[in-house]
Amino acid sequence: SRRVRLDQPSAVWNQSPQHHPRPFAPSHLFCIPPLVWQANNMLGTDIAEIQNTLNRVMLAMDSGDGNAFAACFHADAVCSVRISSARAEGTAALAGLCRAIHEKFPHCRHWEGNVCVTANPEGDQNLCTNESYWKALNGGECVSTGLHRDILRRGADGAWKIAERTILHTGT
């Protein structure tokens, strides 16, 4: 059997002539390897950063931290909740939406799953979409499920943030 060293880049992880500017380090062992090129031409580190952003949104909702929630979105971002026709635009409104969700569901824990990030088909490397499932649990019981449809944009600082989010409920 072939042994793969986890402290060095693997040819299995680097299927492309492109190389990531940061060296591989053991601290990356628990996320997508940094040298992975996805079929849709996005670096694995970009996808991992996007997943972390999506997870921070859920953690902020669970704690009611509106500022942390809004920090995951661009200042001019829009978030729409179809079931209630709620629409929040801009940092203050997004922070308020987070607090309102937390106040309505204070004991729920939200989970993001099956994240599917797709690069912009026109080749803009600073824009991508996500479609993922979410669920809300209350004491282990699933109380709601749905779908997130996101447009994400990389900012001038290099960080991926949500520019637009639509929240769809598929079960309550």
Side-chain angles (χ1 to χ4, degrees):
S1 74
R2 182 175 168 222
R3 295 183 71 142
V4 176
R5 288 192 55 181
L6 297 177
D7 62 340
Q8 295 179 352
S10 167
V12 174
W13 291 349
N14 190 7
Q15 301 286 329
S16 164
Q18 305 291 331
H19 293 281
H20 193 272
R22 286 183 269 174
F24 180 80
S27 63
H28 291 100
L29 293 178
F30 299 103
C31 68
I32 296 171
L35 297 177
V36 173
W37 271 90
Q38 303 297 322
N40 62 14
N41 292 325
M42 292 191 70
L43 277 177
T45 49
D46 288 329
I47 293 170
E49 183 181 339
I50 290 164
Q51 286 179 309
N52 283 341
T53 297
L54 300 175
N55 292 334
R56 279 192 297 273
V57 167
M58 300 307 236
L59 291 170
M61 272 196 317
D62 291 345
S63 67
D65 187 342
N67 292 333
F69 180 88
C72 297
F73 291 80
H74 285 279
D76 60 348
V78 175
C79 181
S80 302
V81 183
R82 289 272 176 90
I83 199 169
S84 66
S85 299
R87 185 174 189 277
E89 183 172 354
T91 302
L94 289 163
L97 176 65
C98 171
R99 287 189 288 274
I101 291 170
H102 180 71
E103 287 171 12
K104 188 171 181 179
F105 306 103
H107 302 293
C108 283
R109 295 295 171 252
H110 294 83
W111 297 83
E112 190 85 26
N114 294 357
V115 173
C116 186
V117 177
T118 305
N120 182 320
E122 282 113 37
D124 183 344
Q125 294 181 348
N126 295 313
L127 199 63
C128 68
T129 60
N130 167 61
E131 188 165 282
S132 54
Y133 296 123
W134 62 265
K135 65 181 174 181
L137 301 175
N138 187 353
E141 177 186 350
C142 186
V143 295
S144 191
T145 61
L147 183 68
H148 286 144
R149 290 195 176 133
D150 303 318
I151 298 173
L152 294 104
R153 188 173 68 237
R154 186 189 339 244
D157 63 355
W160 286 97
K161 294 185 177 185
I162 300 168
E164 185 177 323
R165 167 164 274 191
T166 301
I167 302 172
L168 302 166
H169 288 72
T170 57
T172 52

